[in-house]
Amino acid sequence: RLYNNRYAGDQVFRITPGSDEDVRVLKDVLEHVKVDFWQPNSASLIGPNATVDVHVKRGDTRGLRARLKQEHIDHQVFISDLQREIEKQTGNRSSRQRR
Amino acid sequence: SESQHDYNVYHSLEEIQSWMFEMNRTHPDLLDMFSVGKSYEGRPLYVLQLGKRGHPHKKAVWIDCGVHAREWIGPAFCQWFVKEGIASYQDDSVMRRLLDQLSFYIMPVFNVDGYHFSWTTDRFWRKTRSKNPKFHCRGVDANRNWKVKWCDEGASSHPCDDTYCGPFPESEPEVRAVAKFLRKHKKRFRAYISIHAYAQMLLYPYSYKYATIPNFSCVELAAHNAVTALYSAYGVKYRYGPASTTLYVSSGSSIDWAYRSGIPYAFAFELRDTGYFGFLLPESLISPTCTETMRAVTAIASGLLKKC
């Protein structure tokens, strides 16, 4: 499996904080979960009504989803399994062939 | 061989470098390959000069791809641009005029170490692969490391952050090598273009401040023409404008450095998409993405041959 299957179960969330308060709460929430910012590049750049895409590790997806729900912050999953999407991106070419 | 190179798939660093050697070998009339230096891990930083040989001081356009490792559509576009330039030189009068009157310096993979690492170990690596003995985290954001308002708003001074600006400006050998080359030839360069993903935007200076550039009307016109040309291919809409307001404020970026160095037109493209596949743009979208971006870049280049 590509990358030794390390991304299996990882997800990418798209989060849309609606207000300044949402932004403040979201920054706080994301302080406590190790996520990889896809867009924007860092928490400091989060702004109201601007989408935030973050790569969330498999073990953190449920907790983060619960927190966002609890805080009534709009969110959706735009990639539900990163490993599967990675494998789809380069078709069925084997990793050896790729490497 | 050249005919076997598939431009509709993503290629590893080795494949891209082999392709560059092959293209250089088979098109000596339009291509010249050279290196501007070495990366942190010692890899050569190859550049292809595309254009009809002619006056040594022909005006020039710089295009770099792959500053951020995980943005694979960038290197795919740089390969596409070279292929299209050569394939259409004979029959396309616009491309022939561009290649007769301009030299395009194309760097398919700026961040060679990071790109290789994103193929072998971490698909979502962004930064370079430099080490700092004082910290366990590696890498610097190569688009926060340029000597212009370095490490100010929109960049981080923490080595573990993805927008880490580095220990000092041009600390990254990749940035230093390109900056040195551009400084040496800056009188010739009319445009600097850096290819990134994703957001579908065309950005120009300034990134580090909310201010209007002196030649705003010409740059705005060039950007407008570019996104109009891009839209004409598949109806994909790009936003465009100063990076600080269109995206966000960030310091130490390559387009601000290029502009402050005297290159009158500096652009950063954020290619497809707007957040459906993100960095994992499927190979089936390489062709439309590169075709539309080709129109935008040639529109910018054509504008350089006119007076504004």
Side-chain angles (χ1 to χ4, degrees):
Chain A
R1 303 303 302 268
L2 290 177
Y3 303 97
N4 298 318
N5 210 31
R6 68 183 275 184
Y7 300 104
D10 287 9
Q11 297 186 330
V12 178
F13 284 27
R14 164 151 287 187
I15 307 168
T16 310
S19 63
D20 286 337
E21 176 56 16
D22 275 354
V23 167
R24 191 193 61 74
V25 169
L26 179 58
K27 283 182 179 177
D28 183 61
V29 167
L30 293 178
E31 278 278 328
H32 299 89
V33 180
K34 183 141 178 48
V35 294
D36 172 22
F37 279 87
W38 279 25
Q39 204 179 58
N41 298 142
S42 65
S44 64
L45 299 169
I46 294 176
N49 298 310
T51 54
V52 177
D53 300 339
V54 287
H55 164 190
V56 184
K57 288 273 177 228
R58 176 177 55 208
D60 295 324
T61 55
R62 184 173 301 175
L64 178 57
R65 194 173 304 114
R67 273 300 310 270
L68 292 172
K69 195 173 251 183
Q70 176 190 325
E71 303 291 351
H72 304 292
I73 294 180
D74 182 39
H75 64 282
Q76 58 176 331
V77 175
F78 88 63
I79 294 180
S80 55
D81 188 300
L82 214 46
Q83 185 72 29
R84 191 176 57 233
E85 210 57 38
I86 284 172
E87 312 231 337
K88 265 171 62 183
Q89 178 178 46
T90 49
N92 55 11
R93 287 197 319 270
S94 72
S95 56
R96 178 174 297 284
Q97 193 183 9
R98 278 179 62 225
R99 235 195 321 277
Chain B
S1 70
E2 180 192 340
S3 60
Q4 284 179 311
H5 189 75
D6 186 347
Y7 292 91
N8 292 286
V9 299
Y10 295 108
H11 288 280
S12 68
L13 181 64
E14 293 87 348
E15 289 166 346
I16 292 170
Q17 288 174 340
S18 304
W19 164 80
M20 290 176 81
F21 277 108
E22 183 63 12
M23 292 297 277
N24 184 49
R25 187 183 68 80
T26 50
H27 300 283
D29 52 327
L30 284 176
L31 274 181
D32 191 23
M33 179 175 177
F34 60 95
S35 166
V36 292
K38 286 260 172 64
S39 70
Y40 179 84
E41 292 179 340
R43 293 184 172 88
L45 301 171
Y46 287 130
V47 175
L48 283 173
Q49 180 184 344
L50 169 68
K52 198 70 182 156
R53 288 187 194 286
H55 197 282
H57 297 296
K58 255 167 86 176
K59 295 294 174 203
V61 176
W62 172 277
I63 301 176
D64 62 50
C65 298
V67 165
H68 293 133
R70 59 192 180 189
E71 300 167 13
W72 286 7
I73 188 63
F77 173 71
C78 267
Q79 293 165 70
W80 193 279
F81 187 90
V82 171
K83 174 258 288 186
E84 279 299 314
I86 288 171
S88 57
Y89 178 76
Q90 296 300 337
D91 337 312
D92 177 338
S93 59
V94 171
M95 184 55 83
R96 188 166 54 251
R97 184 161 172 264
L98 288 178
L99 297 189
D100 283 349
Q101 298 194 31
L102 293 168
S103 289
F104 291 83
Y105 290 81
I106 298 160
M107 189 176 199
V109 187
F110 183 106
N111 178 3
V112 287
D113 300 342
Y115 187 75
H116 179 71
F117 192 70
S118 75
W119 267 73
T120 57
T121 310
D122 183 341
R123 175 63 189 78
F124 302 108
W125 189 258
R126 166 184 168 90
K127 301 191 282 185
T128 61
R129 290 293 301 163
S130 57
K131 280 180 194 165
N132 186 325
K134 286 185 275 180
F135 302 100
H136 71 280
C137 293
R138 291 183 72 160
V140 167
D141 183 339
N143 206 23
R144 300 294 188 276
N145 189 234
W146 297 74
K147 202 178 288 181
V148 58
K149 201 82 174 173
W150 173 75
C151 214
D152 203 290
E153 190 179 345
S156 167
S157 54
H158 195 296
C160 294
D161 284 349
D162 252 359
T163 52
Y164 175 45
C165 56
F168 52 90
E170 294 187 19
S171 61
E172 301 316 282
E174 300 85 349
V175 173
R176 197 163 57 248
V178 172
K180 187 180 170 191
F181 179 81
L182 290 172
R183 266 193 292 266
K184 186 178 173 190
H185 301 285
K186 69 178 178 185
K187 285 203 176 52
R188 295 184 50 210
F189 280 96
R190 300 286 298 155
Y192 168 88
I193 296 172
S194 190
I195 305 294
H196 293 254
Y198 59 93
Q200 295 181 186
M201 291 180 180
L202 177 57
L203 307 169
Y204 54 80
Y206 295 109
S207 309
Y208 66 89
K209 63 180 178 181
Y210 298 114
T212 304
I213 50 177
N215 63 337
F216 167 77
S217 57
C218 292
V219 172
E220 175 80 355
L221 177 62
H224 174 78
N225 290 346
V227 300
T228 304
L230 188 145
Y231 177 85
S232 71
Y234 299 101
V236 171
K237 283 186 178 149
Y238 266 48
R239 294 173 53 213
Y240 67 96
S244 54
T245 50
T246 311
L247 193 54
Y248 38 67
V249 169
S250 73
S251 58
S253 74
S254 64
I255 62 169
D256 285 344
W257 179 87
Y259 188 75
R260 285 274 295 269
S261 299
I263 299 174
Y265 294 85
F267 292 104
F269 277 88
E270 292 278 356
L271 301 189
R272 292 194 197 188
D273 58 15
T274 54
Y276 187 78
F277 293 107
F279 301 122
L280 297 176
L281 200 73
E283 291 178 324
S284 57
L285 292 181
I286 289 176
S287 173
T289 303
C290 291
T291 300
E292 68 195 9
T293 309
M294 193 72 196
R295 292 192 183 191
V297 171
T298 45
I300 289 171
S302 297
L304 301 178
L305 300 180
K306 295 178 199 135
K307 275 255 179 276
C308 173

